[in-house]
Amino acid sequence: MSISRARTSLLVVALAVAGTVMTIPGAAAADRDHVEIQRVLNETVANGGGPGIVADLRAGRRAPWFGTAGVADLETGRKRQPGEHFRIGSFTKAFTGTVVLRLAAEGRLALTDTVAKWLPGVVEEYLGADGTKITIRQLLNHTSGLPDAIPGQETPHPEEPGKRFIYSKVNYNLAGMIVEKATGSTLAKEIERRIVRPLHLTGTYLPGSDKTLPDPHARHYSKFTETGQETQLHDVTEIDVSWAGAAGGMVSTTSDLHRFLSALLGGRLLPPAQQKEMFTTVSTEGADWVPNTRYGLGIYSQTLPCGVMLWGGGGFIQGSTSYAMGDRQGTHTLVSNINGDWNDFLKTFTDLFETTFCKKPA
């Protein structure tokens, strides 16, 4: 590396640490972009938004870029690093939706099948709904009328299917049960067989009741109880999240999520008919959910304030908050994770993705 290039690189690093916004004469556009992304990471941690945050960017033929701020371990001060495993929460739905659509492509089930066909009596007994009126498609796009359920809290009454979007973990846990009924296997094995192994994902799996995380991993910290009540900061790295299951129980890494998301968006996991189904969206307007979004079958679109539309999903679970989004072709993707759950994550990730995808004049 030349002396001038080295000095520029050191200046980029120094500015990133300080959180300063500045255009460096002679620096590449990519370097300026990375300084801006790093500024958002630094500000997130500086403003108390979490112990640590990572951002992993892949943009076409450019070299991958990985940025961090804060720590992976509050006791030791260990920094966050590439390759860490973390709980991905609701981005699990993208994997579950993909498996269901693969089964539909094989004729093992149909999106028009009712829940009652595969799980007779289940929603009637446990949710007071009519399983003969709810389709698999409605489970996947959250128009089943089934309410969300949180451990330790009373489940609201169901609504009429097909009327509106209600984001609910129940939908995907039922979809996971249907996968197991249709295949005679477990959802974990079907995800491994149909997605993990073909894409060579080395850190992605559905752990079930296993409380541990593989090394390397950041410690996961929470300011909430399992039922969502505010409490003092505590370490939740080793907890049983099997209740989240097909809706939010998976573990992954930033590099694995890039590979999965780019393959999914790029049409390499689903045949054209099922790809079209996944990207057929319903409005989320009026729901208490992520603004400016439309929901497909496991993933959603989000329109940034600058007008750019991205595709992917987010995940919020005790101790971990993640977002994985990209352009429609899957050639430009960003994956981010915070090892905490008290952050105003919608603002943080909107700022992060707007900085990344909304190009401003130089």
Side-chain angles (χ1 to χ4, degrees), residues 34 40 42 47 76 88 94 135 153 285 299 353:
H34 299 162
V40 176
N42 294 338
N47 294 334
T76 66
I88 68 172
T135 66
Q153 295 185 10
E285 188 175 353
I299 63 171
F353 280 79

Side-chain angles (χ1 to χ4, degrees), residues 89-101 111 115 119 123 127 134-144 146-149 165-180 187 191 206 242-250 260 264 277-280 282 289 294-300 312-313:
S90 289
F91 196 59
T92 300
K93 294 179 178 67
F95 288 84
T96 301
T98 300
V99 170
V100 172
L101 287 167
L111 296 180
V115 174
L119 306 171
V123 296
L127 297 165
I134 301 171
T135 66
I136 294 176
R137 181 184 285 108
Q138 289 172 335
L139 292 180
L140 296 183
N141 67 16
H142 296 290
T143 62
S144 69
L146 297 174
D148 198 13
F165 173 91
I166 304 173
Y167 188 76
S168 172
K169 292 180 285 296
V170 171
N171 288 320
Y172 274 77
N173 282 332
L174 288 170
M177 293 168 66
I178 291 172
V179 167
E180 295 184 344
L187 177 62
I191 289 173
L206 181 62
S242 57
W243 58 269
M250 288 183 68
F260 168 68
L264 185 61
E277 289 279 7
M278 174 165 270
F279 287 90
T280 300
V282 297
W289 203 61
R294 292 184 61 88
Y295 204 93
L297 303 186
I299 63 171
Y300 55 88

Side-chain angles (χ1 to χ4, degrees), residues 218-260:
R219 306 299 298 179
H220 287 31
Y221 297 97
S222 179
K223 289 186 178 180
F224 299 94
T225 66
E226 288 186 1
T227 58
Q229 304 301 311
E230 290 188 21
T231 187
Q232 292 183 338
L233 177 69
H234 59 294
D235 190 317
V236 292
T237 307
E238 296 184 358
I239 57 171
D240 181 356
V241 295
S242 57
W243 58 269
M250 288 183 68
V251 171
S252 191
T253 67
T254 59
S255 58
D256 275 9
L257 292 184
H258 272 295
R259 184 169 293 182
F260 168 68

Side-chain angles (χ1 to χ4, degrees), residues 50-52 71-80 84-87 211-213 215-222 234-239 318-320 337-342:
V71 300
D73 189 321
L74 288 172
E75 289 191 6
T76 66
R78 173 171 54 89
K79 303 297 183 181
R80 298 209 61 175
E84 290 174 340
H85 299 79
F86 51 88
R87 295 190 174 90
K211 298 180 180 181
T212 62
L213 287 173
D215 289 328
H217 64 264
R219 306 299 298 179
H220 287 31
Y221 297 97
S222 179
H234 59 294
D235 190 317
V236 292
T237 307
E238 296 184 358
I239 57 171
Q318 198 176 17
S320 181
N337 172 261
I338 302 170
N339 56 324
D341 58 16
W342 60 89

Side-chain angles (χ1 to χ4, degrees), residues 121-133:
V122 171
V123 296
E124 287 81 358
E125 180 178 355
Y126 293 99
L127 297 165
D130 186 349
T132 67
K133 296 181 178 179

